[in-house]
Amino acid sequence: MITSAAAVHEILGLLASAGVTAWVAGGWGVDALVGRQTRDHADLDVAVVDGRKALAVLGEAGFEVATDWWPGRVALRRLDGSEVDVHPIVFQADGSAVQTTHDGVEFVYPANGFTTGLIAGREVPCITAALQETFHSGYTPQQKDLDDLATLRDAGLI
């Protein structure tokens, strides 16, 4: 399935209207950084401050849990094909944030790891290119991951 730019804006709007702060990551985050859609996206990855509230809001909008790896990640899917991958983060006193996986591994979002980008002409909060590059390491990448990194390199962002 494909998660469209319109679905991205809907999901971000739902979260914002509930007071949930969210940053776009993953493939849509790469596209936000370069300001244009470069490929189809199966899902929207979002780092959120209040994970439980985000899940409740998205549940009210018809999303159902597909993968539950709380506290690090919960993937949700809706009948229209939209998918959102929620990554709860907790801010630290120094302005950084931490995402802890279900098996206790911590991913650090540095204080300077947050920025804005454009999706379908609208400004959205997203993670930085440097953080995207960091998160694309430490595993065997799929072709889409390699393509995302190439997109960031071609744009001169990494």
Side-chain angles (χ1 to χ4, degrees):
M1 300 308 263
I2 294 174
T3 301
S4 67
V8 169
H9 289 300
E10 176 197 0
I11 292 163
L12 293 176
L14 288 167
L15 294 172
S17 68
V20 176
T21 305
W23 292 267
V24 179
W28 271 116
V30 168
D31 285 359
L33 290 166
V34 299
R36 62 183 171 79
Q37 186 171 350
T38 62
R39 64 175 176 86
D40 289 333
H41 301 280
D43 66 357
L44 166 67
D45 289 282
V46 289
V48 300
V49 173
D50 190 339
R52 293 280 184 206
K53 191 172 185 180
L55 296 176
V57 167
L58 294 168
E60 291 171 8
F63 285 89
E64 297 181 357
V65 174
T67 303
D68 186 349
W69 289 353
W70 185 266
R73 169 184 176 258
V74 179
L76 304 146
R77 189 174 294 139
R78 192 166 59 182
L79 288 178
D80 69 359
S82 299
E83 296 184 21
V84 59
D85 203 347
V86 175
H87 301 270
I89 60 175
V90 176
F91 273 90
Q92 309 300 300
D94 65 359
S96 67
V98 175
Q99 174 187 348
T100 305
T101 67
H102 68 286
D103 54 359
V105 176
E106 291 187 344
F107 292 103
V108 176
Y109 294 64
N112 65 353
F114 303 94
T115 190
T116 58
L118 292 174
I119 294 177
R122 290 176 52 190
E123 188 172 84
V124 298
C126 61
I127 64 171
T128 63
L131 190 52
Q132 284 276 12
E133 184 177 36
T134 298
F135 285 168
H136 278 82
S137 64
Y139 66 95
T140 303
Q142 298 178 26
Q143 187 60 50
K144 67 178 183 164
D145 301 314
L146 297 172
D147 293 344
D148 286 346
L149 289 171
T151 296
L152 293 173
R153 273 192 303 279
D154 291 347
L157 297 173
I158 58 171

